[in-house]
Amino acid sequence: MTPVATQPGELGLAEAYIAGDIDVEGDLAAGLSAVWGQLRDRGPGAPRPRPADLAEFAATAFRLKAVGPRPPAPGAARARLRGTLHSSSRDRAAISHHYDMSNEFYAMLLDETMAYSCGYWTRPEDPTYGLADAQRDKLDLICRKLGLTAGAQFLDVGCGWGALSLHAAREYKAQVTAVTLSAEQRDFMAARIEEQGLGGLVEVELRHYRDIEGGGYDAVSAIEMGEHVGDAEYPAFTARLHGLLRPRGRLLVQQMSRGANAPGGGAFIETYIAPDMHMRPVGRTVDLLESAGLEVRSVESLREHYARTITAWYRTLEDRWEDFVALVGEPTARVWRLYLAGSALAFTERRMGVDQILAVRPTRDGVADLPATPQAWYGQDAAR
């Protein structure tokens, strides 16, 4: 009994693909684009099916035994979270579902930096320039926007596998505190700190952002973790970020956005990839940051950069398909094939965006202590 019949819609189609009940010949992204186009073109004024059509569909469903209780998930792990939405324990479970799957899986999918966020493609037409270059350019851009220098106290909230934290310590000699809810990420990062001899500059902690102690940081980052905070909790999150900064300290938030009518990731993504996620229009995020007492000084869209980044991950998945199947099984590999193809398409077609938002905590008399222009952030000879 195919999931499409028992659960029509986005999730049913996705689960039918995961189970192998349906497939797409040729380019998966092109197939998804065609399906999305048909759904978009129907719109609210599209003709409704006639009663006779519905009756014929019902009779066919009974003949095929395609009615009845929903079948179990087709071989890939659904997120099954308990407890109060965005409680610390539920947030930990949601993060674990996505990020604790396997460090080996992410090491195969990502580049050597292990950056799992949008890259910054400064030379996209150069055939010698690839994903790892784009990620390093992104890490450098963030460090320059934050004004990191030797000894600067830097807090990396939602540090992932440590790409930014390690880069800031190694290249800028910043004193870094890195925070994650993922035990797998914490252990991976601790090993890299030791391997790279950065124990005197980087400390990684397994804790919720609500439980971060201290303050007075020169710089704070939240790179694609605000999507996991929740809608109702975001004002408290921005207030916490404000409180962690010293006056004149800088904050950089890199965050995905969607339109007002589609704040989450959709049924498929929230069931199999990132449960409890919430995205909002970028302007709303700016409003929330400013309401917390921060002053937003720069918003830079990276939408096209994310389409390139996700396409690079997708190509790696396809090129090493048999290795991924051997590691996690075909249903999970198909989850990720669908997720990456659909996500790249969403950014290409402007259904999703991603932005770097730079903010500062001004002093009481309005001093922000930022450069007069952003010129130093860009270019091969950008100043630190």
Side-chain angles (χ1 to χ4, degrees):
M1 183 163 47
T2 176
V4 175
T6 59
Q7 185 173 290
E10 175 191 332
L11 187 56
L13 285 169
E15 293 196 328
Y17 177 79
I18 295 165
D21 293 332
I22 62 173
D23 217 327
V24 177
E25 292 185 4
D27 184 72
L28 178 58
L32 292 175
S33 181
V35 170
W36 175 256
Q38 290 179 3
L39 293 174
R40 181 184 56 220
D41 293 343
R42 282 186 61 83
R48 300 176 63 86
R50 299 173 299 163
D53 297 328
L54 296 174
E56 182 179 352
F57 173 80
T60 302
F62 275 105
R63 285 199 305 272
L64 295 175
K65 299 181 180 180
V67 295
R70 179 187 301 173
R78 279 184 167 211
R80 301 192 183 279
L81 307 183
R82 295 181 174 85
T84 304
L85 182 65
H86 292 298
S87 63
S88 295
S89 59
R90 180 167 171 138
D91 280 351
R92 187 171 290 108
I95 293 299
S96 180
H97 173 82
H98 188 43
Y99 298 101
D100 286 346
M101 181 174 66
S102 164
N103 282 343
E104 186 178 355
F105 173 87
Y106 286 102
M108 286 173 56
L109 183 69
L110 308 176
D111 64 282
E112 60 263 30
T113 70
M114 287 291 282
Y116 183 41
S117 55
C118 179
Y120 192 68
W121 297 75
T122 61
R123 302 197 311 276
E125 306 307 321
D126 182 349
T128 67
Y129 182 93
L131 176 61
D133 302 300
Q135 292 293 7
R136 282 189 288 268
D137 284 344
K138 182 269 301 293
L139 300 176
D140 248 346
L141 180 63
I142 291 172
C143 291
R144 292 196 297 265
K145 285 183 175 182
L146 287 172
L148 295 185
T149 56
Q153 298 293 312
F154 172 42
L155 173 65
D156 187 7
V157 183
C159 62
W161 287 271
L164 176 57
S165 294
L166 297 171
H167 187 85
R170 188 177 56 250
E171 303 298 328
Y172 292 79
K173 309 305 178 188
Q175 194 75 41
V176 184
T177 301
V179 176
T180 179
L181 273 179
S182 164
E184 291 276 342
Q185 290 179 339
R186 187 271 314 273
D187 293 345
F188 181 93
M189 189 173 171
R192 281 210 161 175
I193 291 170
E194 184 176 353
E195 290 168 6
Q196 298 182 21
L198 295 173
L201 290 175
V202 186
E203 180 181 5
V204 58
E205 300 178 353
L206 185 66
R207 65 175 65 222
H208 199 281
Y209 73 83
R210 297 188 187 103
D211 301 322
I212 297 172
E213 299 174 348
Y217 287 96
D218 300 299
V220 175
S221 68
I223 307 303
E224 295 182 27
M225 68 81 59
E227 299 87 340
H228 300 289
V229 168
D231 190 28
E233 292 72 20
Y234 209 85
F237 173 64
T238 57
R240 187 75 189 101
L241 296 177
H242 176 275
L244 289 164
L245 284 164
R246 65 165 175 81
R248 297 183 293 180
R250 302 183 197 179
L251 167 70
L252 191 134
V253 172
Q254 181 169 304
Q255 193 164 303
M256 290 180 280
S257 62
R258 291 192 72 162
N261 295 325
F268 162 63
I269 289 178
E270 293 187 35
T271 299
Y272 283 96
I273 300 292
D276 291 351
M277 75 183 305
H278 181 93
M279 294 177 284
R280 62 188 59 75
V282 62
R284 177 62 180 144
T285 298
V286 169
D287 286 344
L288 290 166
L289 290 167
E290 296 238 329
S291 295
L294 296 158
E295 182 181 11
V296 172
R297 301 298 295 258
S298 171
V299 180
E300 181 173 1
S301 173
L302 306 181
R303 180 175 63 83
E304 293 89 349
H305 294 262
Y306 223 160
R308 290 183 180 275
T309 302
I310 297 172
T311 297
W313 294 336
Y314 178 79
R315 287 172 180 162
T316 297
L317 181 71
E318 292 297 334
D319 290 345
R320 300 190 62 182
W321 180 252
E322 296 302 325
D323 294 333
F324 281 101
V325 169
L327 180 64
V328 298
E330 184 167 354
T332 297
R334 289 172 77 88
V335 165
W336 277 80
R337 176 189 266 169
L338 188 60
Y339 167 53
L340 294 176
S343 296
L345 188 64
F347 285 101
T348 297
E349 296 185 347
R350 208 169 64 84
R351 288 182 280 113
M352 287 181 62
V354 63
D355 304 270
Q356 281 188 357
I357 306 170
L358 179 70
V360 64
R361 177 179 174 174
T363 65
R364 289 185 178 181
D365 53 358
V367 177
D369 198 23
L370 266 76
T373 74
Q375 183 177 1
W377 300 342
Y378 303 101
Q380 293 183 345
D381 300 320
R384 295 184 182 179

PDB file of all heavy atoms in Angstrom, residues 222-253:
ATOM      1  N   ALA A 222      25.628  33.211  15.349  1.00  0.00           N
ATOM      2  CA  ALA A 222      24.611  32.168  15.333  1.00  0.00           C
ATOM      3  C   ALA A 222      24.405  31.811  13.866  1.00  0.00           C
ATOM      4  O   ALA A 222      23.640  32.470  13.164  1.00  0.00           O
ATOM      5  CB  ALA A 222      23.315  32.642  15.981  1.00  0.00           C
ATOM      6  N   ILE A 223      25.129  30.800  13.413  1.00  0.00           N
ATOM      7  CA  ILE A 223      25.146  30.464  11.990  1.00  0.00           C
ATOM      8  C   ILE A 223      24.154  29.340  11.721  1.00  0.00           C
ATOM      9  O   ILE A 223      24.376  28.182  12.071  1.00  0.00           O
ATOM     10  CB  ILE A 223      26.570  30.050  11.537  1.00  0.00           C
ATOM     11  CG1 ILE A 223      27.585  31.127  11.931  1.00  0.00           C
ATOM     12  CG2 ILE A 223      26.588  29.813  10.028  1.00  0.00           C
ATOM     13  CD1 ILE A 223      27.293  32.511  11.383  1.00  0.00           C
ATOM     14  N   GLU A 224      23.023  29.700  11.148  1.00  0.00           N
ATOM     15  CA  GLU A 224      21.964  28.774  10.765  1.00  0.00           C
ATOM     16  C   GLU A 224      21.527  27.887  11.924  1.00  0.00           C
ATOM     17  O   GLU A 224      21.302  26.686  11.743  1.00  0.00           O
ATOM     18  CB  GLU A 224      22.374  27.976   9.526  1.00  0.00           C
ATOM     19  CG  GLU A 224      22.539  28.878   8.307  1.00  0.00           C
ATOM     20  CD  GLU A 224      22.904  28.156   7.021  1.00  0.00           C
ATOM     21  OE1 GLU A 224      22.556  26.964   6.876  1.00  0.00           O
ATOM     22  OE2 GLU A 224      23.543  28.791   6.162  1.00  0.00           O
ATOM     23  N   MET A 225      21.433  28.484  13.112  1.00  0.00           N
ATOM     24  CA  MET A 225      20.835  27.787  14.244  1.00  0.00           C
ATOM     25  C   MET A 225      19.555  28.474  14.722  1.00  0.00           C
ATOM     26  O   MET A 225      18.750  27.870  15.436  1.00  0.00           O
ATOM     27  CB  MET A 225      21.823  27.633  15.400  1.00  0.00           C
ATOM     28  CG  MET A 225      22.229  28.909  16.120  1.00  0.00           C
ATOM     29  SD  MET A 225      21.046  29.524  17.366  1.00  0.00           S
ATOM     30  CE  MET A 225      20.942  28.147  18.491  1.00  0.00           C
ATOM     31  N   GLY A 226      19.335  29.728  14.320  1.00  0.00           N
ATOM     32  CA  GLY A 226      18.124  30.427  14.714  1.00  0.00           C
ATOM     33  C   GLY A 226      16.862  29.764  14.190  1.00  0.00           C
ATOM     34  O   GLY A 226      15.783  29.940  14.763  1.00  0.00           O
ATOM     35  N   GLU A 227      16.989  28.969  13.109  1.00  0.00           N
ATOM     36  CA  GLU A 227      15.846  28.249  12.574  1.00  0.00           C
ATOM     37  C   GLU A 227      15.317  27.209  13.563  1.00  0.00           C
ATOM     38  O   GLU A 227      14.167  26.773  13.471  1.00  0.00           O
ATOM     39  CB  GLU A 227      16.228  27.537  11.260  1.00  0.00           C
ATOM     40  CG  GLU A 227      16.690  28.464  10.149  1.00  0.00           C
ATOM     41  CD  GLU A 227      18.181  28.788  10.197  1.00  0.00           C
ATOM     42  OE1 GLU A 227      18.802  28.619  11.272  1.00  0.00           O
ATOM     43  OE2 GLU A 227      18.724  29.199   9.169  1.00  0.00           O
ATOM     44  N   HIS A 228      16.161  26.792  14.506  1.00  0.00           N
ATOM     45  CA  HIS A 228      15.774  25.769  15.479  1.00  0.00           C
ATOM     46  C   HIS A 228      15.226  26.363  16.777  1.00  0.00           C
ATOM     47  O   HIS A 228      14.823  25.618  17.665  1.00  0.00           O
ATOM     48  CB  HIS A 228      16.987  24.893  15.810  1.00  0.00           C
ATOM     49  CG  HIS A 228      17.569  24.186  14.629  1.00  0.00           C
ATOM     50  ND1 HIS A 228      16.928  23.140  13.998  1.00  0.00           N
ATOM     51  CD2 HIS A 228      18.733  24.373  13.956  1.00  0.00           C
ATOM     52  CE1 HIS A 228      17.677  22.709  12.990  1.00  0.00           C
ATOM     53  NE2 HIS A 228      18.770  23.448  12.943  1.00  0.00           N
ATOM     54  N   VAL A 229      15.213  27.681  16.900  1.00  0.00           N
ATOM     55  CA  VAL A 229      14.853  28.317  18.163  1.00  0.00           C
ATOM     56  C   VAL A 229      13.354  28.283  18.414  1.00  0.00           C
ATOM     57  O   VAL A 229      12.909  28.074  19.545  1.00  0.00           O
ATOM     58  CB  VAL A 229      15.374  29.772  18.192  1.00  0.00           C
ATOM     59  CG1 VAL A 229      14.778  30.556  19.354  1.00  0.00           C
ATOM     60  CG2 VAL A 229      16.893  29.781  18.250  1.00  0.00           C
ATOM     61  N   GLY A 230      12.556  28.486  17.375  1.00  0.00           N
ATOM     62  CA  GLY A 230      11.113  28.537  17.526  1.00  0.00           C
ATOM     63  C   GLY A 230      10.582  29.959  17.423  1.00  0.00           C
ATOM     64  O   GLY A 230      11.288  30.923  17.733  1.00  0.00           O
ATOM     65  N   ASP A 231       9.334  30.078  17.018  1.00  0.00           N
ATOM     66  CA  ASP A 231       8.738  31.395  16.799  1.00  0.00           C
ATOM     67  C   ASP A 231       8.504  32.131  18.117  1.00  0.00           C
ATOM     68  O   ASP A 231       8.967  33.255  18.314  1.00  0.00           O
ATOM     69  CB  ASP A 231       7.421  31.229  16.038  1.00  0.00           C
ATOM     70  CG  ASP A 231       6.864  32.556  15.550  1.00  0.00           C
ATOM     71  OD1 ASP A 231       7.669  33.480  15.317  1.00  0.00           O
ATOM     72  OD2 ASP A 231       5.638  32.670  15.395  1.00  0.00           O
ATOM     73  N   ALA A 232       7.822  31.485  19.041  1.00  0.00           N
ATOM     74  CA  ALA A 232       7.503  32.137  20.311  1.00  0.00           C
ATOM     75  C   ALA A 232       8.751  32.406  21.147  1.00  0.00           C
ATOM     76  O   ALA A 232       8.798  33.350  21.931  1.00  0.00           O
ATOM     77  CB  ALA A 232       6.522  31.277  21.108  1.00  0.00           C
ATOM     78  N   GLU A 233       9.791  31.587  20.962  1.00  0.00           N
ATOM     79  CA  GLU A 233      11.008  31.701  21.765  1.00  0.00           C
ATOM     80  C   GLU A 233      12.017  32.691  21.201  1.00  0.00           C
ATOM     81  O   GLU A 233      12.989  33.053  21.888  1.00  0.00           O
ATOM     82  CB  GLU A 233      11.679  30.323  21.887  1.00  0.00           C
ATOM     83  CG  GLU A 233      10.916  29.305  22.701  1.00  0.00           C
ATOM     84  CD  GLU A 233       9.666  28.771  22.016  1.00  0.00           C
ATOM     85  OE1 GLU A 233       9.583  28.888  20.770  1.00  0.00           O
ATOM     86  OE2 GLU A 233       8.782  28.257  22.701  1.00  0.00           O
ATOM     87  N   TYR A 234      11.814  33.162  19.975  1.00  0.00           N
ATOM     88  CA  TYR A 234      12.841  33.990  19.336  1.00  0.00           C
ATOM     89  C   TYR A 234      13.084  35.325  20.050  1.00  0.00           C
ATOM     90  O   TYR A 234      14.240  35.757  20.145  1.00  0.00           O
ATOM     91  CB  TYR A 234      12.506  34.216  17.857  1.00  0.00           C
ATOM     92  CG  TYR A 234      13.744  34.412  17.010  1.00  0.00           C
ATOM     93  CD1 TYR A 234      14.449  33.326  16.507  1.00  0.00           C
ATOM     94  CD2 TYR A 234      14.232  35.685  16.729  1.00  0.00           C
ATOM     95  CE1 TYR A 234      15.585  33.493  15.746  1.00  0.00           C
ATOM     96  CE2 TYR A 234      15.370  35.871  15.975  1.00  0.00           C
ATOM     97  CZ  TYR A 234      16.039  34.767  15.475  1.00  0.00           C
ATOM     98  OH  TYR A 234      17.182  34.950  14.732  1.00  0.00           O
ATOM     99  N   PRO A 235      12.074  36.018  20.561  1.00  0.00           N
ATOM    100  CA  PRO A 235      12.378  37.249  21.299  1.00  0.00           C
ATOM    101  C   PRO A 235      13.294  37.013  22.495  1.00  0.00           C
ATOM    102  O   PRO A 235      14.202  37.811  22.762  1.00  0.00           O
ATOM    103  CB  PRO A 235      10.988  37.741  21.727  1.00  0.00           C
ATOM    104  CG  PRO A 235      10.069  37.207  20.683  1.00  0.00           C
ATOM    105  CD  PRO A 235      10.620  35.851  20.345  1.00  0.00           C
ATOM    106  N   ALA A 236      13.088  35.920  23.239  1.00  0.00           N
ATOM    107  CA  ALA A 236      13.969  35.610  24.366  1.00  0.00           C
ATOM    108  C   ALA A 236      15.372  35.250  23.873  1.00  0.00           C
ATOM    109  O   ALA A 236      16.374  35.578  24.529  1.00  0.00           O
ATOM    110  CB  ALA A 236      13.390  34.468  25.194  1.00  0.00           C
ATOM    111  N   PHE A 237      15.452  34.609  22.715  1.00  0.00           N
ATOM    112  CA  PHE A 237      16.742  34.264  22.126  1.00  0.00           C
ATOM    113  C   PHE A 237      17.527  35.526  21.772  1.00  0.00           C
ATOM    114  O   PHE A 237      18.708  35.654  22.110  1.00  0.00           O
ATOM    115  CB  PHE A 237      16.511  33.402  20.884  1.00  0.00           C
ATOM    116  CG  PHE A 237      17.737  33.095  20.077  1.00  0.00           C
ATOM    117  CD1 PHE A 237      18.770  32.341  20.597  1.00  0.00           C
ATOM    118  CD2 PHE A 237      17.840  33.559  18.761  1.00  0.00           C
ATOM    119  CE1 PHE A 237      19.901  32.050  19.841  1.00  0.00           C
ATOM    120  CE2 PHE A 237      18.958  33.275  18.004  1.00  0.00           C
ATOM    121  CZ  PHE A 237      19.996  32.515  18.537  1.00  0.00           C
ATOM    122  N   THR A 238      16.876  36.480  21.109  1.00  0.00           N
ATOM    123  CA  THR A 238      17.578  37.712  20.742  1.00  0.00           C
ATOM    124  C   THR A 238      17.963  38.520  21.976  1.00  0.00           C
ATOM    125  O   THR A 238      19.035  39.137  22.009  1.00  0.00           O
ATOM    126  CB  THR A 238      16.720  38.565  19.789  1.00  0.00           C
ATOM    127  OG1 THR A 238      15.465  38.855  20.400  1.00  0.00           O
ATOM    128  CG2 THR A 238      16.484  37.850  18.469  1.00  0.00           C
ATOM    129  N   ALA A 239      17.113  38.494  22.990  1.00  0.00           N
ATOM    130  CA  ALA A 239      17.465  39.180  24.235  1.00  0.00           C
ATOM    131  C   ALA A 239      18.684  38.530  24.879  1.00  0.00           C
ATOM    132  O   ALA A 239      19.547  39.222  25.449  1.00  0.00           O
ATOM    133  CB  ALA A 239      16.278  39.152  25.190  1.00  0.00           C
ATOM    134  N   ARG A 240      18.777  37.212  24.789  1.00  0.00           N
ATOM    135  CA  ARG A 240      19.939  36.509  25.354  1.00  0.00           C
ATOM    136  C   ARG A 240      21.199  36.884  24.586  1.00  0.00           C
ATOM    137  O   ARG A 240      22.261  37.095  25.189  1.00  0.00           O
ATOM    138  CB  ARG A 240      19.709  34.996  25.291  1.00  0.00           C
ATOM    139  CG  ARG A 240      20.779  34.176  26.008  1.00  0.00           C
ATOM    140  CD  ARG A 240      20.600  34.257  27.504  1.00  0.00           C
ATOM    141  NE  ARG A 240      21.719  33.656  28.219  1.00  0.00           N
ATOM    142  CZ  ARG A 240      22.702  34.341  28.779  1.00  0.00           C
ATOM    143  NH1 ARG A 240      22.708  35.661  28.722  1.00  0.00           N
ATOM    144  NH2 ARG A 240      23.674  33.737  29.421  1.00  0.00           N
ATOM    145  N   LEU A 241      21.118  36.956  23.266  1.00  0.00           N
ATOM    146  CA  LEU A 241      22.279  37.344  22.472  1.00  0.00           C
ATOM    147  C   LEU A 241      22.735  38.754  22.839  1.00  0.00           C
ATOM    148  O   LEU A 241      23.938  39.017  22.973  1.00  0.00           O
ATOM    149  CB  LEU A 241      21.951  37.265  20.980  1.00  0.00           C
ATOM    150  CG  LEU A 241      21.625  35.870  20.420  1.00  0.00           C
ATOM    151  CD1 LEU A 241      21.248  35.963  18.949  1.00  0.00           C
ATOM    152  CD2 LEU A 241      22.791  34.906  20.612  1.00  0.00           C
ATOM    153  N   HIS A 242      21.787  39.662  22.999  1.00  0.00           N
ATOM    154  CA  HIS A 242      22.108  41.031  23.410  1.00  0.00           C
ATOM    155  C   HIS A 242      22.837  41.029  24.752  1.00  0.00           C
ATOM    156  O   HIS A 242      23.859  41.711  24.936  1.00  0.00           O
ATOM    157  CB  HIS A 242      20.827  41.855  23.502  1.00  0.00           C
ATOM    158  CG  HIS A 242      21.023  43.247  24.002  1.00  0.00           C
ATOM    159  ND1 HIS A 242      21.063  43.559  25.351  1.00  0.00           N
ATOM    160  CD2 HIS A 242      21.184  44.432  23.347  1.00  0.00           C
ATOM    161  CE1 HIS A 242      21.257  44.855  25.502  1.00  0.00           C
ATOM    162  NE2 HIS A 242      21.323  45.422  24.300  1.00  0.00           N
ATOM    163  N   GLY A 243      22.327  40.237  25.697  1.00  0.00           N
ATOM    164  CA  GLY A 243      22.922  40.199  27.014  1.00  0.00           C
ATOM    165  C   GLY A 243      24.309  39.586  27.050  1.00  0.00           C
ATOM    166  O   GLY A 243      25.102  39.881  27.958  1.00  0.00           O
ATOM    167  N   LEU A 244      24.641  38.736  26.084  1.00  0.00           N
ATOM    168  CA  LEU A 244      25.952  38.086  26.048  1.00  0.00           C
ATOM    169  C   LEU A 244      27.043  39.006  25.499  1.00  0.00           C
ATOM    170  O   LEU A 244      28.233  38.748  25.707  1.00  0.00           O
ATOM    171  CB  LEU A 244      25.881  36.813  25.207  1.00  0.00           C
ATOM    172  CG  LEU A 244      25.109  35.648  25.842  1.00  0.00           C
ATOM    173  CD1 LEU A 244      24.769  34.598  24.786  1.00  0.00           C
ATOM    174  CD2 LEU A 244      25.910  35.025  26.980  1.00  0.00           C
ATOM    175  N   LEU A 245      26.651  40.056  24.789  1.00  0.00           N
ATOM    176  CA  LEU A 245      27.611  40.973  24.181  1.00  0.00           C
ATOM    177  C   LEU A 245      27.985  42.102  25.142  1.00  0.00           C
ATOM    178  O   LEU A 245      27.159  42.580  25.910  1.00  0.00           O
ATOM    179  CB  LEU A 245      27.021  41.602  22.918  1.00  0.00           C
ATOM    180  CG  LEU A 245      26.958  40.730  21.668  1.00  0.00           C
ATOM    181  CD1 LEU A 245      26.013  41.365  20.645  1.00  0.00           C
ATOM    182  CD2 LEU A 245      28.346  40.552  21.061  1.00  0.00           C
ATOM    183  N   ARG A 246      29.212  42.550  25.055  1.00  0.00           N
ATOM    184  CA  ARG A 246      29.601  43.795  25.719  1.00  0.00           C
ATOM    185  C   ARG A 246      29.099  44.968  24.880  1.00  0.00           C
ATOM    186  O   ARG A 246      28.815  44.806  23.683  1.00  0.00           O
ATOM    187  CB  ARG A 246      31.120  43.874  25.863  1.00  0.00           C
ATOM    188  CG  ARG A 246      31.863  43.958  24.520  1.00  0.00           C
ATOM    189  CD  ARG A 246      33.294  44.395  24.707  1.00  0.00           C
ATOM    190  NE  ARG A 246      34.054  44.378  23.461  1.00  0.00           N
ATOM    191  CZ  ARG A 246      34.026  45.329  22.534  1.00  0.00           C
ATOM    192  NH1 ARG A 246      33.235  46.379  22.684  1.00  0.00           N
ATOM    193  NH2 ARG A 246      34.774  45.232  21.442  1.00  0.00           N
ATOM    194  N   PRO A 247      28.958  46.163  25.467  1.00  0.00           N
ATOM    195  CA  PRO A 247      28.656  47.335  24.638  1.00  0.00           C
ATOM    196  C   PRO A 247      29.702  47.495  23.537  1.00  0.00           C
ATOM    197  O   PRO A 247      30.897  47.324  23.773  1.00  0.00           O
ATOM    198  CB  PRO A 247      28.713  48.492  25.639  1.00  0.00           C
ATOM    199  CG  PRO A 247      28.359  47.860  26.950  1.00  0.00           C
ATOM    200  CD  PRO A 247      28.982  46.490  26.907  1.00  0.00           C
ATOM    201  N   ARG A 248      29.237  47.743  22.315  1.00  0.00           N
ATOM    202  CA  ARG A 248      30.022  47.824  21.078  1.00  0.00           C
ATOM    203  C   ARG A 248      30.398  46.450  20.524  1.00  0.00           C
ATOM    204  O   ARG A 248      31.094  46.352  19.522  1.00  0.00           O
ATOM    205  CB  ARG A 248      31.275  48.694  21.251  1.00  0.00           C
ATOM    206  CG  ARG A 248      30.964  50.142  21.586  1.00  0.00           C
ATOM    207  CD  ARG A 248      32.211  50.994  21.670  1.00  0.00           C
ATOM    208  NE  ARG A 248      33.054  50.609  22.808  1.00  0.00           N
ATOM    209  CZ  ARG A 248      34.203  51.190  23.122  1.00  0.00           C
ATOM    210  NH1 ARG A 248      34.669  52.186  22.384  1.00  0.00           N
ATOM    211  NH2 ARG A 248      34.889  50.793  24.181  1.00  0.00           N
ATOM    212  N   GLY A 249      29.940  45.403  21.186  1.00  0.00           N
ATOM    213  CA  GLY A 249      30.162  44.054  20.668  1.00  0.00           C
ATOM    214  C   GLY A 249      29.280  43.776  19.458  1.00  0.00           C
ATOM    215  O   GLY A 249      28.182  44.335  19.323  1.00  0.00           O
ATOM    216  N   ARG A 250      29.740  42.900  18.585  1.00  0.00           N
ATOM    217  CA  ARG A 250      29.032  42.626  17.329  1.00  0.00           C
ATOM    218  C   ARG A 250      28.421  41.222  17.325  1.00  0.00           C
ATOM    219  O   ARG A 250      28.969  40.270  17.885  1.00  0.00           O
ATOM    220  CB  ARG A 250      29.987  42.744  16.137  1.00  0.00           C
ATOM    221  CG  ARG A 250      30.660  44.087  16.001  1.00  0.00           C
ATOM    222  CD  ARG A 250      31.526  44.138  14.747  1.00  0.00           C
ATOM    223  NE  ARG A 250      32.487  45.245  14.790  1.00  0.00           N
ATOM    224  CZ  ARG A 250      33.362  45.500  13.842  1.00  0.00           C
ATOM    225  NH1 ARG A 250      33.416  44.728  12.752  1.00  0.00           N
ATOM    226  NH2 ARG A 250      34.205  46.522  13.964  1.00  0.00           N
ATOM    227  N   LEU A 251      27.286  41.126  16.642  1.00  0.00           N
ATOM    228  CA  LEU A 251      26.572  39.861  16.452  1.00  0.00           C
ATOM    229  C   LEU A 251      26.417  39.602  14.967  1.00  0.00           C
ATOM    230  O   LEU A 251      26.027  40.505  14.221  1.00  0.00           O
ATOM    231  CB  LEU A 251      25.184  39.931  17.099  1.00  0.00           C
ATOM    232  CG  LEU A 251      24.201  38.809  16.735  1.00  0.00           C
ATOM    233  CD1 LEU A 251      24.622  37.491  17.356  1.00  0.00           C
ATOM    234  CD2 LEU A 251      22.786  39.182  17.167  1.00  0.00           C
ATOM    235  N   LEU A 252      26.697  38.374  14.534  1.00  0.00           N
ATOM    236  CA  LEU A 252      26.388  37.988  13.158  1.00  0.00           C
ATOM    237  C   LEU A 252      25.472  36.772  13.179  1.00  0.00           C
ATOM    238  O   LEU A 252      25.831  35.725  13.729  1.00  0.00           O
ATOM    239  CB  LEU A 252      27.637  37.680  12.345  1.00  0.00           C
ATOM    240  CG  LEU A 252      27.294  37.544  10.844  1.00  0.00           C
ATOM    241  CD1 LEU A 252      28.272  38.298   9.962  1.00  0.00           C
ATOM    242  CD2 LEU A 252      27.206  36.087  10.409  1.00  0.00           C
ATOM    243  N   VAL A 253      24.290  36.956  12.615  1.00  0.00           N
ATOM    244  CA  VAL A 253      23.309  35.889  12.457  1.00  0.00           C
ATOM    245  C   VAL A 253      23.245  35.537  10.982  1.00  0.00           C
ATOM    246  O   VAL A 253      23.006  36.416  10.139  1.00  0.00           O
ATOM    247  CB  VAL A 253      21.915  36.334  12.951  1.00  0.00           C
ATOM    248  CG1 VAL A 253      20.865  35.286  12.610  1.00  0.00           C
ATOM    249  CG2 VAL A 253      21.938  36.592  14.449  1.00  0.00           C
TER     250      VAL A 253
END
